Amino acid sequence: MSDVMIVLTNLPDEASAQSLAEQLVGARLAACVNQLAPCRSVYRWEGEVVNEVEVPLLIKTTRTRLAALQDAIRSAHPYELPEIIAVPVESGLPGYLAWVAAECNSGL
């Protein structure tokens, strides 16, 4: 297993998604963030069914940067309770995984 993680979150619009992506990469909390096409999310919040368009982000980071990444997302995210789901990367192209680790861990 590698040290690399993929973190998923959704933002309410493209501007906030782009801003968060740039902040995370700029702070070296993420090596790369993919801003995906808007999607429709249906969920229950405070007793009501909500049907909203959201912009998903796929964030590549490392296990050692995960706590700081989560703090940064929570600080910048407009939602009261943002979705933050971290999935470990079991395997991948060794050179790519090394690049993610180097980008996130540079300067630590």
Side-chain angles (χ1 to χ4, degrees):
M1 182 189 318
S2 76
D3 185 42
V4 175
M5 308 282 292
I6 295 177
V7 177
L8 310 160
T9 193
N10 286 303
L11 282 293
D13 55 63
E14 291 188 24
S16 62
Q18 181 175 348
S19 176
L20 180 59
E22 290 174 359
Q23 177 185 341
L24 297 175
V25 172
R28 292 196 179 270
L29 295 172
C32 175
V33 179
N34 300 115
Q35 180 175 324
L36 304 180
C39 67
R40 181 149 305 274
S41 296
V42 179
Y43 55 93
R44 185 176 302 279
W45 180 250
E46 296 181 342
E48 301 290 326
V49 174
V50 178
N51 188 326
E52 297 284 343
V53 171
E54 295 184 299
V55 178
L57 295 181
L58 295 179
I59 304 161
K60 276 68 110 210
T61 192
T62 59
R63 197 174 299 278
T64 56
R65 299 298 275 161
L66 185 58
L69 176 88
Q70 289 176 337
D71 289 344
I73 292 171
R74 291 185 75 196
S75 293
H77 208 289
Y79 292 168
E80 178 183 343
L81 182 63
E83 172 186 12
I84 302 174
I85 298 173
V87 180
V89 173
E90 292 293 324
S91 67
L93 185 65
Y96 181 81
L97 298 178
W99 173 78
V100 171
E103 286 299 309
C104 291
N105 297 326
S106 178
L108 289 182

